[in-house]
Amino acid sequence: MKKTLIAGIPIRFYYENKKEIIGIYNRYLDYLENYGFIVVFLTKQNLNYFINKIDCLVLIGGGDVNPHLYNKIDNFINYDSRLDNLEYLAINKALKIHKPILGICRGLQILNVYFSGTLKEVPNTHQGLHVIIKNNNDKKVTNSFHHQCIDELAENFTLISKTNDDVVEEIEDKKRMIYAVQYHPEINNDLTVLDYFKTYFKL
């Protein structure tokens, strides 16, 4: 029987009919809860209380990272500064108390920017399904639902895999217990991501 673990996810902000709604896509809940995680939504108000109680921080997809955070100007990027600030705060607190961090899509991007890396627009060849190639030459077919990707990889990260068109797909920082993927494992229930994350960091 799998051990029950608590995963903290920073909340997202949405607007519908001029009303603000907070939440996340249900597929992330299904992905984590079916694997044995209990999900806790993290807000600016409850972060200090829950950060010590969670087993790991999970940074999910959704929206772009403010380009000003990596010293670029792009007037066509739609970003949410509140989310950027909340995730920065959550990353900072998780690192201080040595909580493992899993990043998915935007999660990989915000982690790279947090550690002084940069982002860029994905190449035109990067659409739909594609093959990623790991450092050991293993290959894996996965998805693409993003238009930003890593440009300069932050120095603390090790590149694990990328595509033929040089889009970074997986990175890790073993010292800080961080693993992040650019693709969406929750869409096709790719449990190899959770298996690796949970096993390597002994959750």
Side-chain angles (χ1 to χ4, degrees), residues 31 102 108 130-142 158-172 174 179-183 185 190-197 200:
Y31 181 60
L102 173 64
L108 172 142
H130 53 260
V131 176
I132 63 175
I133 306 169
K134 294 180 177 287
N135 288 341
N136 61 4
N137 289 323
D138 283 349
K139 295 181 179 180
K140 175 180 178 178
V141 177
T142 188
T158 299
L159 173 65
I160 300 177
S161 71
K162 63 180 181 179
T163 59
N164 286 327
D165 51 4
D166 289 325
V167 172
V168 175
E169 291 289 336
E170 296 176 313
I171 59 175
E172 68 180 2
K174 292 182 177 179
Y179 173 57
V181 300
Q182 180 59 77
Y183 52 91
D190 180 358
L191 296 181
T192 61
V193 171
L194 291 181
D195 282 335
Y196 181 84
F197 179 70
Y200 189 84

Side-chain angles (χ1 to χ4, degrees), residues 5 35 37 55-56 98-102 158 160 171-180 191-203:
L5 299 167
Y35 194 84
F37 285 89
D55 295 291
C56 62
H98 309 292
K99 297 288 184 179
I101 302 174
L102 173 64
T158 299
I160 300 177
I171 59 175
E172 68 180 2
D173 180 339
K174 292 182 177 179
K175 180 180 178 181
R176 295 175 177 84
M177 297 191 292
I178 300 172
Y179 173 57
L191 296 181
T192 61
V193 171
L194 291 181
D195 282 335
Y196 181 84
F197 179 70
K198 183 177 177 181
T199 301
Y200 189 84
F201 297 123
K202 298 179 181 179
L203 290 173

Side-chain angles (χ1 to χ4, degrees), residues 91-142:
I91 293 168
N92 182 264
K93 291 182 180 296
L95 291 172
K96 284 183 177 179
I97 56 177
H98 309 292
K99 297 288 184 179
I101 302 174
L102 173 64
I104 297 174
C105 195
R106 173 196 156 88
L108 172 142
Q109 295 167 13
I110 194 76
L111 284 163
N112 189 59
V113 171
Y114 179 90
F115 288 103
S116 301
T118 63
L119 305 177
K120 65 180 180 180
E121 188 172 343
V122 297
N124 292 332
T125 55
H126 196 77
Q127 298 177 3
L129 296 177
H130 53 260
V131 176
I132 63 175
I133 306 169
K134 294 180 177 287
N135 288 341
N136 61 4
N137 289 323
D138 283 349
K139 295 181 179 180
K140 175 180 178 178
V141 177
T142 188

Side-chain angles (χ1 to χ4, degrees), residues 16-61:
E16 185 174 317
N17 298 323
K18 298 183 179 180
K19 295 180 181 179
E20 187 175 63
I21 300 171
I22 59 173
I24 66 172
Y25 287 131
N26 192 59
R27 66 176 190 256
Y28 293 106
L29 288 176
D30 289 341
Y31 181 60
L32 290 164
E33 291 181 343
N34 288 341
Y35 194 84
F37 285 89
I38 292 174
V39 175
V40 173
F41 292 156
L42 302 177
T43 69
K44 185 177 180 180
Q45 288 72 29
N46 71 21
L47 184 58
N48 285 333
Y49 176 80
F50 279 118
I51 197 66
N52 290 295
K53 301 181 184 302
I54 63 175
D55 295 291
C56 62
L57 173 66
V58 180
L59 304 171
I60 60 173

